[in-house]
Amino acid sequence: MLTDRQLLILRAIVDDYIKTAQPVGSRTLSKRSDVTFSSATIRNEMADLEEMGLIEKPHTSAGRIPSELGYRFYVDHLIRPESISPQEAKALKSLFAHSVNENDRLIRHTADLLSELTHYTTLVLGPKEEGQRLHHLELIPLAEGRVVIVLVTETGHVEHKTLQLAEALSREAASRLMERLNQTLRGTPLSQLRVRLLEEIRRFRSEHSEQTTLLSKALDIVLMDQDNERPLIYLGGKANMFDQPEFQDVAKLRPVLELIEQQEALFDFLSPNLDNQILITIGSENNVDALKDCSVIRAHYSVDGISLGTLALIGPKRMDYNRGINSIIHLLQAFQTELRKNSLD
Amino acid sequence: MLTDRQLLILRAIVDDYIKTAQPVGSRTLSKRSDVTFSSATIRNEMADLEEMGLIEKPHTSAGRIPSELGYRFYVDHLIRPESISPQEAKALKSLFAHSVNENDRLIRHTADLLSELTHYTTLVLGPKEEGQRLHHLELIPLAEGRVVIVLVTETGHVEHKTLQLAEALSREAASRLMERLNQTLRGTPLSQLRVRLLEEIRRFRSEHSEQTTLLSKALDIVLMDQDNERPLIYLGGKANMFDQPEFQDVAKLRPVLELIEQQEALFDFLSPNLDNQILITIGSENNVDALKDCSVIRAHYSVDGISLGTLALIGPKRMDYNRGINSIIHLLQAFQTELRKNSLD
DNA sequence: AATTAGCACTCGTTAAAAGTGAGTGCTAAC
DNA sequence: GTTAGCACTCACTTTTAACGAGTGCTAATT
């Protein structure tokens, strides 16, 4: 185990490096007010810390920087969960001063807020469809066989699709079908919606001998498509990446920005995080080559116990974990409260 | 006026520089098969071209590069509208092989296609609301005073908003009101929709003595909001910027990428282009500091004579104008055809 | 009169050399 | 166990030199 002095030194190194992005030398450390021992002692301790793999030197004659293991240790044991300042707490409350009654916009707004709060890049993974349940379905027949289908989930998420039928669907037929569908399908998880919807239409057809084959086919195609569609990812503060000294080199910056633009890759990366409420992954822990120099702080958001999506913060390994974690926790609270308001039991 | 030989040299310099990104020297040019005169002659001609402001040298002992004026001259007079290759034409046709019946997705798809085709970054400015006309309006009352309003324009654009009323709107009331609104408001330009909609609700209320004050208020707020909302900008191939040698430096890259992320700034920049069908702006011609090292090729798209939005291509000043112009022209055609299919007379 | 060969000159680029200084590891004294 | 002292390392900066692509000018050539 580490001695108190070693803990002090390790924390000092990480804190300093997070602040300055410069390797920290023994002399610099010895000047700190909380350090009562000499630089030589520090050098000895540093040698030990290095042996343990917690810090490393970029080259022989530089100071030390935290290794990934060092960051991990720092995050796990050395972070003081420094509570948010009163003014920040106030600011946070007023952020959602006027409610946003559409989830999409709320999510986008949240992504922007979080990045503004932390000065890091933010990802917000929109609600997963599968888990959500149908609240209401509406068919709107337009001219020329065009039909708009509107789908409202219990979380208050609204979404529309356009179908193109070979022949027009009458307003009456649509209305009758719709009433039936809403009666029988409310509460159906979206993951089962396609199958149950088609089933229900088939049954409706046989009972009322109405011509809904075309509708059924078109719906099938559109919903199939929807199945493949993944929840949206909203990004905030992409430009913040430019401010990080570690990303001044285009070669470093490029893979990160490229990854961020790829919805699929990001989705795969962000989604698995079902156990913990807050998950921090550092450098190679991300298991994504493009993020080997980045750290990610993730938090799950849920409403009424149903996990909906993920809030994430992405920055250099040398990111301000303290601030990041605090910001994400507090924003998460406020965000979930807002989401709750928008849901339709 | 320029002599034929000067034209040849100027074109050669621009072509070469576009291809290699390296200043072009007299010796290099003299080796071209279409150059029959010596490097000394070229040097003399170059001196003249430089005096005219068409080319310049980065420093004394480098070759020449085109000046902005040079690019302008090249674009205006030296581009041969090299018709598209048969295979490319074929590829273009198959791009929209299966129709996308939602304009939003169609636009996004188009942005991606164009960037893939040209290897430049693409911007597609979505349809302006003002000019469009209402095709259909639907009110969907949900639980707890939540009402979804769906708005379909004649261009086939579908869009929904959520209202929150203090008390529930009955399905019957909604249905009656809706029927009335659709009868009277179809064809209304969206720019007038808010005013006329409120008017119509007020009249309906007095005629049927129904309680629609709350609805009217909520609608007002939401539509007001919509007025301020600007059409979306879809981006394609952002990562292509990384490939340009002129943007290897973060300092150069940053302002461009930052601008691209700012919807408002981009909108202001892209929208005014009512006269020409294709507009090319080079470097400082963009009147935007962030784009002083970029060129932009813009094309307007319209359906049934109604101008809807803009397709744009953004790259370094040294961009392949030929390819860019050709790609944008051809894609524009195909894109408009698809849009036409989705419109509802 | 137009073209071209020749040549001195410029200047960015690259490479090597030398100097600087922050930081280290080790040793010996405290 | 702690610390002062010192030789050593090595990235970084500056200096110097060599290189070479390209130019502008002049004089010879067509």
Side-chain angles (χ1 to χ4, degrees):
Chain A
M1 226 27 258
L2 295 181
T3 65
D4 282 354
R5 194 165 65 189
Q6 286 173 326
L7 291 175
L8 171 62
I9 291 177
L10 178 56
R11 173 184 284 141
I13 292 176
V14 180
D15 280 342
D16 222 66
Y17 187 61
I18 283 177
K19 212 176 290 169
T20 66
Q22 295 297 323
V24 187
S26 56
R27 220 182 95 80
T28 317
L29 279 190
S30 71
K31 287 200 208 123
R32 290 174 58 118
S33 61
D34 54 350
V35 169
T36 54
F37 33 92
S38 79
S39 66
T41 308
I42 295 175
R43 282 199 290 282
N44 287 331
E45 298 285 29
M46 278 175 158
D48 290 348
L49 288 171
E50 184 169 2
E51 216 164 89
M52 289 182 253
L54 293 169
I55 56 177
E56 56 197 23
K57 23 184 188 187
H59 57 86
T60 329
S61 67
R64 303 304 213 288
I65 62 175
S67 67
E68 282 191 13
L69 196 64
Y71 284 123
R72 172 48 63 198
F73 189 92
Y74 177 84
V75 165
D76 288 345
H77 304 112
L78 297 179
I79 279 187
R80 340 182 183 200
E82 179 190 286
S83 76
I84 211 159
S85 79
Q87 45 196 6
E88 277 187 311
K90 204 169 170 186
L92 249 175
K93 285 232 175 77
S94 68
L95 286 181
F96 293 105
H98 35 294
S99 292
V100 182
N101 64 359
E102 265 156 281
N103 283 349
D104 279 22
R105 285 209 285 157
L106 174 61
I107 290 175
R108 217 172 309 147
H109 186 211
T110 304
D112 287 339
L113 282 181
L114 189 54
S115 70
E116 214 169 288
L117 218 55
T118 59
H119 302 296
Y120 291 116
T121 302
T122 315
L123 316 173
V124 181
L125 194 59
K128 281 180 291 218
E129 307 255 297
E130 319 136 27
Q132 298 186 59
R133 292 164 181 283
L134 183 71
H135 175 82
H136 183 83
L137 202 66
E138 186 96 12
L139 293 171
I140 310 175
L142 303 173
E144 302 168 33
R146 196 77 55 84
V147 178
V148 174
I149 173 166
V150 180
L151 190 151
V152 186
T153 70
E154 289 184 347
T155 55
H157 174 71
V158 182
E159 156 170 342
H160 67 256
K161 302 267 169 186
T162 309
L163 319 183
Q164 180 64 57
L165 310 184
E167 90 191 32
L169 176 74
S170 79
R171 203 151 172 87
E172 292 69 37
S175 168
R176 251 170 304 166
L177 176 57
M178 215 161 65
E179 200 169 333
R180 162 67 165 274
L181 292 177
N182 276 313
Q183 267 172 22
T184 51
L185 295 179
R186 170 162 304 180
T188 306
L190 294 199
S191 53
Q192 299 167 28
L193 185 61
R194 187 177 135 249
V195 175
R196 295 202 45 195
L197 190 57
L198 295 178
E199 220 172 73
E200 207 54 52
I201 293 180
R202 205 172 313 121
R203 201 171 300 158
F204 182 79
R205 189 183 338 161
S206 65
E207 286 171 22
H208 297 69
S209 66
E210 293 217 39
Q211 197 40 49
T212 51
T213 323
L214 288 168
L215 177 63
S216 161
K217 196 171 250 169
L219 262 176
D220 194 25
I221 292 172
V222 167
L223 290 175
M224 188 82 94
D225 202 46
Q226 183 180 44
D227 266 19
N228 296 334
E229 226 173 75
R230 296 189 141 164
L232 283 175
I233 295 175
Y234 297 95
L235 297 167
K238 273 177 267 189
N240 289 335
M241 227 42 132
F242 288 115
D243 292 324
Q244 299 301 334
E246 29 270 278
F247 297 118
Q248 285 313 336
D249 182 7
V250 180
K252 291 270 182 206
L253 182 63
R254 177 177 182 157
V256 181
L257 288 189
E258 279 187 355
L259 178 79
I260 284 179
E261 298 299 339
Q262 288 175 353
Q263 298 264 331
E264 298 85 22
L266 264 190
F267 178 86
D268 291 343
F269 168 67
L270 283 180
S271 38
N273 170 24
L274 292 163
D275 31 352
N276 298 48
Q277 214 208 351
I278 293 246
L279 180 65
I280 300 179
T281 46
I282 300 162
S284 61
E285 292 175 6
N286 289 311
N287 285 325
V288 174
D289 200 54
L291 296 182
K292 68 175 163 39
D293 298 317
C294 295
S295 279
V296 179
I297 303 179
R298 263 173 280 185
H300 242 99
Y301 64 86
S302 56
V303 169
D304 295 336
I306 299 170
S307 162
L308 290 176
T310 308
L311 280 173
L313 218 51
I314 181 167
K317 285 194 293 191
R318 185 192 58 76
M319 83 191 285
D320 188 337
Y321 295 96
N322 223 315
R323 185 175 183 73
I325 293 170
N326 278 308
S327 302
I328 212 169
I329 286 179
H330 286 91
L331 198 66
L332 183 70
Q333 298 298 338
F335 176 53
Q336 286 180 151
T337 308
E338 291 299 312
L339 272 179
R340 183 69 199 75
K341 284 193 206 157
N342 286 349
S343 80
L344 297 152
D345 289 340
Chain B
M1 225 25 260
L2 296 182
T3 66
D4 282 353
R5 194 165 66 191
Q6 286 173 325
L7 291 176
L8 172 63
I9 291 176
L10 178 56
R11 173 184 285 140
I13 291 175
V14 180
D15 281 339
D16 222 67
Y17 187 63
I18 283 177
K19 212 174 289 167
T20 66
Q22 296 297 325
V24 187
S26 56
R27 220 181 96 80
T28 316
L29 280 190
S30 72
K31 288 200 209 123
R32 289 175 60 118
S33 62
D34 54 350
V35 170
T36 54
F37 33 91
S38 79
S39 66
T41 308
I42 295 174
R43 282 199 289 283
N44 287 330
E45 298 286 29
M46 279 175 156
D48 290 347
L49 287 172
E50 185 169 1
E51 216 164 88
M52 288 182 256
L54 293 169
I55 57 178
E56 54 197 25
K57 19 180 192 190
H59 57 86
T60 331
S61 69
R64 302 303 213 289
I65 63 174
S67 66
E68 282 192 12
L69 196 63
Y71 283 122
R72 173 47 62 198
F73 189 91
Y74 176 84
V75 166
D76 288 344
H77 303 113
L78 298 179
I79 278 186
R80 338 180 186 201
E82 180 190 288
S83 77
I84 212 159
S85 80
Q87 46 194 8
E88 277 188 312
K90 206 170 168 185
L92 249 175
K93 286 230 174 80
S94 69
L95 287 179
F96 293 104
H98 36 292
S99 293
V100 181
N101 64 1
E102 266 157 278
N103 284 350
D104 279 22
R105 284 211 285 158
L106 174 61
I107 290 175
R108 220 172 306 145
H109 185 211
T110 303
D112 287 338
L113 281 182
L114 190 53
S115 71
E116 215 169 285
L117 217 58
T118 59
H119 302 293
Y120 291 116
T121 301
T122 314
L123 317 172
V124 181
L125 193 60
K128 280 179 292 217
E129 307 255 296
E130 319 138 28
Q132 296 187 59
R133 292 164 182 283
L134 183 72
H135 176 80
H136 184 83
L137 203 65
E138 186 96 13
L139 292 171
I140 310 175
L142 303 173
E144 301 168 34
R146 196 78 53 85
V147 177
V148 174
I149 173 167
V150 180
L151 189 151
V152 185
T153 70
E154 289 184 349
T155 56
H157 174 72
V158 183
E159 156 169 344
H160 67 256
K161 302 266 167 186
T162 308
L163 319 183
Q164 180 64 57
L165 309 184
E167 90 190 32
L169 176 72
S170 79
R171 202 150 173 87
E172 291 69 37
S175 167
R176 249 171 305 169
L177 176 57
M178 214 162 65
E179 199 168 335
R180 161 67 166 273
L181 292 178
N182 274 312
Q183 267 172 21
T184 50
L185 295 180
R186 171 162 303 180
T188 306
L190 294 199
S191 53
Q192 300 166 27
L193 184 63
R194 188 178 134 248
V195 175
R196 292 203 46 195
L197 189 58
L198 295 179
E199 220 172 72
E200 206 56 48
I201 293 180
R202 203 172 314 119
R203 203 171 299 159
F204 181 79
R205 188 182 340 161
S206 66
E207 287 172 23
H208 297 67
S209 66
E210 294 217 39
Q211 197 42 49
T212 52
T213 322
L214 288 169
L215 177 64
S216 154
K217 197 172 250 170
L219 261 176
D220 193 26
I221 291 170
V222 167
L223 290 175
M224 187 82 96
D225 203 44
Q226 185 181 43
D227 265 20
N228 297 335
E229 226 173 76
R230 294 187 145 164
L232 283 175
I233 295 175
Y234 296 95
L235 296 167
K238 273 177 266 189
N240 288 335
M241 226 44 135
F242 289 116
D243 292 323
Q244 300 300 335
E246 29 269 280
F247 297 117
Q248 285 314 328
D249 182 8
V250 180
K252 291 271 182 202
L253 182 63
R254 177 177 183 156
V256 182
L257 288 190
E258 279 188 356
L259 178 78
I260 284 179
E261 299 298 339
Q262 289 177 349
Q263 297 265 331
E264 298 84 23
L266 264 190
F267 179 87
D268 290 343
F269 168 65
L270 282 181
S271 39
N273 168 24
L274 291 163
D275 31 352
N276 298 48
Q277 214 210 350
I278 294 244
L279 179 65
I280 299 177
T281 46
I282 300 162
S284 61
E285 291 174 6
N286 288 311
N287 286 325
V288 175
D289 200 54
L291 296 183
K292 68 175 163 39
D293 297 317
C294 295
S295 280
V296 180
I297 304 180
R298 263 173 279 184
H300 243 99
Y301 64 86
S302 56
V303 168
D304 297 334
I306 300 170
S307 163
L308 290 175
T310 309
L311 280 172
L313 217 52
I314 181 167
K317 285 195 292 192
R318 185 191 59 75
M319 84 191 285
D320 188 336
Y321 295 96
N322 224 313
R323 186 173 183 74
I325 293 171
N326 278 306
S327 301
I328 212 170
I329 286 179
H330 286 90
L331 198 67
L332 183 70
Q333 298 298 336
F335 176 53
Q336 287 181 152
T337 308
E338 291 299 311
L339 271 180
R340 183 69 197 75
K341 283 192 207 159
N342 285 351
S343 80
L344 296 153
D345 288 342

